Amino acid sequence: GQIVSSYDILPESTDIDLNTVIETIPKVLPEGVKLLETKIQPVAFGLMKVNAGFAIDDSIETIGTDLENALTSIPGIQNVECVSSTNYD
């Protein structure tokens, strides 16, 4: 089946170029994950985050962990959080 998930990708500081982060996301994605959309949103105190939507093949058991590890590996990223997830069978 497919899962559509939305993740918040939080930078270490306001110095991180989020457009560079967005360009990097497709290059680090594990097999079975497709990037659907990205948008830059405010967090607080001038800090911005990337919100990214993914289509995920849930037949791969470790896919959630693989995706989070891949996103966290992007330079300048401090934290990755799944904010919503919907199953499509």
Side-chain angles (χ1 to χ4, degrees):
Q2 286 274 312
I3 302 172
V4 174
S5 292
S6 175
Y7 280 83
D8 282 347
I9 304 167
L10 296 148
E12 293 167 352
S13 72
T14 53
D15 300 333
I16 306 300
D17 182 350
L18 295 183
N19 288 308
T20 302
V21 170
I22 287 171
E23 288 169 18
T24 307
I25 292 171
K27 299 173 187 161
V28 300
L29 291 181
E31 196 173 324
V33 178
K34 194 171 94 185
L35 180 64
L36 299 176
E37 62 173 354
T38 57
K39 49 188 178 272
I40 295 174
Q41 300 175 319
V43 181
F45 309 111
L47 188 65
M48 305 294 275
K49 67 182 176 187
V50 175
N51 178 267
F54 300 97
I56 300 168
D57 176 356
D58 70 358
S59 66
I60 303 164
E61 208 169 289
T62 58
I63 198 83
T65 307
D66 294 347
L67 174 57
E68 289 184 20
N69 289 341
L71 296 174
T72 309
S73 76
I74 298 171
I77 295 309
Q78 179 184 347
N79 194 16
V80 172
E81 187 181 346
C82 181
V83 288
S84 75
S85 199
T86 308
N87 285 314
Y88 294 94
D89 288 329

